[in-house]
């Protein structure tokens, strides 16, 4: 297997290497910095917790492994126009993030989606208008049956505590696919459900526990709401980009947000907690770990965490998404009556959408997700570019091949994310060990969208989790 | 949640803390130690690789996180008698480990099992002689059907490459339980299969992919052979304990085995590979990572590993086992005609066996496994002791309550194991990403029993994997 190196990576390796023996280490080992609360991770969850502590006059520091804030939100400017390479869309039922955006002075704009949608599934290609995919009637009925049964099962889930459902063990013994295979038998319907799973969660239907899917959907007003644009959770975006939520919070917090510090070890004792990272050690009364379960599981804890917590983080992998954006001179798809929306299991791009930002150049966004994203992760950027553009051209026209600019973001390859859009639980995990998802372990509190009671996996859930973790700490101070 | 601290752990936290700024770090950061090959992990796989490289005259170092060698083999001496708290049993078909034991001067002794076995399943208790459990005929027939179908499916698995089976995706969409639920309907039969899964793998039947089970069983002559004592893989033990395999190899390797060095980061470049651990950095041409997939996934790699490899280690958790040994003055169970063998889903001890070593005091070993082990992991040792002894007393007599000595080993709580006896794959993982299990990534080679083609999960598999990884390195040098 060939290994490619970029200059940047070599440089980082060398820099990290030299730092390990540097002055910072020795100084902090002797005299660790002290605050009341340490927060690990400067994504939306961690920064929300920091804001809450700041408001309460509690001293804190936020330790972030990356050299930027925002976690799974990441924006890129092209001239004055901001494109989101991570979390982007918000919906009208997401009160926290809409309020935060207002407070920080961000502007909302509706997701463009006028025109016909392309669909290609199980070898059939068609276009249609409106919200009902053009599928054989029998397939539509089976998909509808799936949605009904899923909604019915979802109503059994106690909000935020799927492990307490009466049927938790039964739901959790199934993968999503082993569940719907019993009543969804048609080829097109199965293809649609596989693709829906892949494009909504970045995960294949045969990887994810049914109980994990129910945790997701029941916390977010159901699968139909999650995938809807009008009045749904894909309704709007922020003109300034979602990362600006984090950069604006972070500007106010100043040097209490420390970048470039991967946390390696957290040790509790009777008096407090020591947090050891590359570049120094800190001491506090409490710590809020605001990273995905998968990454939380990579930190060394002393004493060892309860076994249920360890088992859970071992069973909570992440999906995979490569988000690909192409900018054009003209909106050729709109000129032909298409919205830019594409649903397909025929190639590398499973889902596409018009990504034009208010006042910006015409743009399309294509998503590689689940096993497709895994297959394309780590490939040469040029090859990905060619593949994505060729795929878009098959539906929207030759013009797709010649963008003004193209860029993409491979989330599974990011060492401080390792997958997107969120973590999910494999069978047998959530019913047995789910109770450890947000239960504090001594002085350690857990945040991150995967610990949210509402809007699991969304930016909205990240905010809720940060508020909740900060409230826990304040209550126990 | 309360957090208990022992003095020992506090001490370790402080020691680790002080060390991070010590002289060793600075010196090695400036001048990394150089060898031809680095091996991460001094379990049986890593030490076998080291032996092979030593024989070929290649320079190497073995970096081990713990302050001992042996990984998942760990022995404890009581007077002159050695008890195994980890991997213990070997069978006549395991040529490598038998040859190694001979070479190192270890003595084999048969596993004691004369007498009646207790079984308690789904509320029924009985005792029996011989290899056929005393279950209702209908249950026996269903268990037999399961074994036949499992064997038939196992024959479809290309040796060591389950992901290449024609039906790989179909097998992998099932948990073990969602598969057998379709044809095993009786209460006793289901209880037996759940318990078999738990006690053979430390994993519940609804957690494990069917393809992962097939990987295990097809590599080890089938499930019946795996669970058998006579002529099976539980046939014998080593009088000197299995850890002595590792300590004796390690004595010969001398200071090339370095203890107390958790490896945190592995960076490849065109010329070689840098391995950074607590306490120093090393440089080599190749590295062999000989730790379970779960732990391999916790190391930071630069550049990032292929996505399939990352996805696989996220989907390869570990089972849980607490092995509990009680020593007695008299073999009271044998005096009543019992072998000491117990199969039960009624309490915390799922499986027990006579653990008397040749010439040693009478002993019983009880296993807490799977979700039971998770529930008891991290509890106070006194509480575990009381529970285990009470359970043994229910079957073998009051004398079980008053052992001369009791000790146990909670493998899931060990930070450098995090589960036992082996890793397993969750649904959807092995069919898609299994090809990354032992495929080298540039200069990084993978060993450990989970990468074995034969005897996956066994000490025998660890030896095979170490030999294979060393051969890969020699071939590419």
């Amino acid at each position: 297997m060939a290994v490619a190196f970029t200059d940047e990576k070599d440089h980082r390796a060398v820099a990290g290497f030299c730092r390990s023996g540097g002055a910072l280490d020795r100084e902090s080992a002797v005299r660790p910095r002290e605050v009341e609360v340490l927060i690990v991770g400067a994504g939306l969850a961690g920064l929300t917790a920091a804001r809450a502590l700041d408001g309460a006059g509690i001293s804190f520091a936020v330790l972030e492994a990356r050299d930027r804030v925002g976690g799974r939100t990441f924006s890129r400017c092209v001239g004055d126009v901001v494109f989101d390479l991570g979390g982007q869309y918000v919906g009208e039922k997401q009160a926290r993030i809409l309020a935060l955006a207002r407070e920080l002075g961000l502007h909302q704009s509706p997701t463009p989606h006028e025109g016909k949608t392309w669909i290609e599934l199980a070898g059939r290609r068609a276009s249609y208008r409106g919200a009902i995919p053009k599928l054989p009637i029998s397939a539509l009925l089976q998909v509808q049956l799936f949605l009904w049964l899923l909604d019915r099962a979802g109503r059994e889930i106690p909000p935020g505590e799927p492990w307490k459902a009466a049927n938790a063990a039964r739901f959790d013994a199934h993968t999503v696919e082993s569940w719907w295979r019993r009543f969804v038998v048609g080829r097109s319907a199965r293809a649609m459900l596989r693709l829906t799973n892949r494009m909504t969660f970045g995960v294949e239907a045969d990887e994810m526990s049914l109980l994990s899917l129910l945790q997701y959907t029941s916390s977010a007003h159901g699968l139909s709401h999650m995938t809807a644009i009008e009045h749904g959770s894909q309704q709007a975006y922020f003109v300034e980009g979602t990362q600006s939520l984090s950069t604006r919070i972070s500007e106010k917090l100043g040097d209490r947000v420390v970048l470039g510090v991967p946390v390696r070890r957290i040790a509790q004792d009777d008096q407090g907690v020591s947090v050891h990272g590359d570049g120094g050690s800190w001491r506090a009364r409490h710590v809020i770990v605001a990273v995905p379960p998968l990454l939380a599981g990579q930190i060394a804890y002393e004493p060892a965490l309860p076994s249920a917590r360890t088992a859970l983080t071992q069973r909570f992998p992440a999906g995979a998404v490569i988000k690909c954006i192409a900018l054009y001179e003209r909106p050729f798809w709109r000129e032909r009556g298409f919205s830019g929306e594409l649903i397909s299991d025929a190639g590398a791009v499973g889902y596409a959408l018009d990504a034009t930002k208010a006042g910006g150049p015409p743009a399309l966004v294509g998503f590689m997700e689940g096993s497709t994203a895994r297959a394309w992760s780590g490939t040469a950027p040029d090859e990905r570019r060619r593949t994505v553009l060729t795929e878009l051209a098959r539906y929207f026209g030759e013009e797709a091949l010649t963008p003004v600019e193209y860029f993409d973001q491979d989330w599974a390859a990011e060492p401080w994310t390792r997958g997107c859009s969120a973590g999910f639980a494999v069978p047998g995990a959530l019913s047995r060990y789910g109770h450890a998802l947000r239960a504090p372990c001594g002085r350690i509190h857990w945040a991150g969208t995967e610990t949210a009671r509402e809007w699991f996996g969304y930016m909205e859930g990240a905010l809720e989790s940060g508020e909740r973790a900060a409230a826990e700490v304040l209550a126990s101070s």
Side-chain angles (χ1 to χ4, degrees), chain A:
Chain A
M1 201 169 291
V3 176
F5 283 85
T6 65
D7 285 339
E8 191 205 356
K9 276 174 182 165
D10 278 340
H11 178 71
R12 272 198 291 124
V14 171
F17 180 69
C18 295
R19 196 177 52 207
S20 72
L24 193 57
D25 263 2
R26 272 169 292 145
E27 182 195 340
S28 64
V30 176
R31 187 163 42 77
R33 281 149 273 190
E34 287 202 39
V35 288
E36 284 173 86
V37 183
L38 282 161
I39 298 167
V40 180
L44 279 171
L47 292 173
T48 299
R51 251 166 67 92
L53 295 175
D54 194 30
I58 304 283
S59 71
F60 64 88
V62 184
L63 307 178
E64 166 60 43
R66 288 186 165 98
D67 56 5
R68 65 164 181 84
V69 297
R72 287 171 272 183
T73 61
F74 178 46
S75 307
R76 177 168 173 155
C77 298
V78 178
D80 291 343
V81 188
V82 183
F83 290 93
D84 280 316
L85 283 160
Q88 175 170 3
Y89 299 108
V90 292
E92 60 194 21
K93 294 192 178 178
Q94 299 174 350
R96 284 184 176 85
I97 195 159
L98 296 181
L100 176 65
R102 254 193 317 274
E103 184 189 327
L104 297 173
L106 268 60
H107 298 84
Q108 229 187 98
S109 188
T111 307
H113 67 291
E114 291 303 308
K116 288 179 289 180
T117 299
W118 272 117
I119 188 166
E120 183 165 358
L121 273 182
R124 292 173 195 231
R125 176 170 163 156
S127 64
Y128 64 95
R129 286 180 188 279
I132 317 276
K134 190 160 182 177
L135 289 173
I137 291 291
S138 64
L140 283 179
L141 287 175
Q142 288 190 43
V143 169
Q144 193 54 52
L145 175 64
F146 163 80
L147 290 172
W148 280 331
L149 291 175
L150 192 72
D151 274 353
R152 194 177 68 177
R155 282 193 297 275
E156 293 185 34
I157 306 295
E161 299 179 313
W163 47 90
K164 290 191 176 167
N167 283 313
R170 195 166 64 81
F171 294 148
D172 210 22
H174 273 293
T175 64
V176 175
E177 183 162 331
S178 77
W179 180 66
W180 58 242
R181 277 183 82 87
R182 299 181 308 170
F183 52 84
V184 174
V185 293
R187 204 161 143 250
S188 296
R190 287 185 167 187
M192 183 69 192
L193 293 190
R194 285 202 186 99
L195 186 64
T196 301
N197 212 96
R198 189 181 300 149
M199 73 194 199
T200 314
F201 312 106
V203 171
E204 301 298 322
D206 63 2
E207 292 185 296
M208 190 177 197
S209 155
L210 174 61
L211 190 62
S212 180
L213 173 68
L214 290 168
Q215 176 180 38
Y216 223 126
T217 58
S218 70
S219 82
H221 301 267
L223 187 55
S224 306
H225 183 78
M226 290 167 67
T227 56
I229 295 177
E230 276 187 60
H231 302 292
S233 71
Q234 313 268 77
Q235 189 174 26
Y237 64 87
F238 297 121
V239 176
E240 293 82 1
T242 50
Q243 196 187 358
S244 62
L245 293 165
S246 295
T247 51
R248 289 182 190 196
I249 294 174
S250 168
E251 277 160 19
K252 292 183 188 173
L253 302 179
D255 62 5
R256 290 173 293 178
V257 179
V258 187
L259 301 179
V261 178
V263 166
R264 306 290 184 184
R265 193 155 55 87
I266 298 180
Q268 301 185 59
D269 55 51
D270 289 341
Q271 278 75 50
V273 55
S274 298
V275 173
H276 307 285
D278 293 2
S281 292
W282 279 260
R283 180 84 185 160
R285 294 182 51 77
H286 294 272
V287 58
I288 295 172
V289 176
V291 300
L294 174 70
L295 295 181
Q298 314 248 332
I299 297 170
Y301 299 89
E302 290 169 15
L305 297 181
S307 188
R309 172 78 202 174
T310 312
L312 185 69
T313 56
Q314 288 179 13
R315 288 156 175 80
F316 225 98
V321 177
I322 306 177
K323 191 170 178 180
C324 313
I325 296 178
L327 313 187
Y328 295 99
E329 281 181 6
R330 300 169 56 86
F332 50 90
W333 57 96
R334 274 186 244 145
E335 292 166 6
R336 290 183 187 121
F338 289 98
S339 67
E341 198 172 352
L342 161 69
I343 299 167
S344 162
D345 68 358
V349 175
Y351 185 61
L353 211 58
D354 190 319
T356 309
K357 307 283 296 245
L364 287 172
V365 56
F367 293 89
M368 295 174 163
E369 300 201 298
S371 56
T372 315
R374 292 282 173 199
W376 285 95
S377 179
T379 54
D382 270 7
E383 215 182 313
R384 280 206 298 264
R385 174 194 158 111
R386 195 165 48 243
T387 304
V388 169
L389 299 179
T390 307
E391 200 62 16
L392 293 175
R394 279 184 55 221
Y395 299 95
F396 301 116
E398 285 289 300
E399 298 95 322
L401 295 172
T402 49
V404 179
E405 192 153 353
Y406 168 92
F407 43 90
D408 62 25
Q409 174 79 2
D410 176 2
W411 285 100
E414 290 271 303
W416 300 115
T417 309
R418 303 205 192 171
C420 243
S421 50
F424 67 96
V426 303
L430 212 47
S431 55
R432 285 200 188 84
Y433 312 121
H435 62 88
L437 189 55
R438 74 177 80 88
C441 298
R443 298 173 179 277
I444 308 177
H445 303 260
W446 311 103
T449 188
E450 287 88 353
T451 70
R453 288 172 178 270
E454 258 199 299
W455 293 103
F456 175 106
Y458 285 81
M459 295 182 283
E460 178 75 5
L463 300 190
E464 184 220 271
S465 79
E467 290 174 12
R468 190 253 317 137
E472 277 174 18
V473 167
L474 292 174
S476 60
S477 284

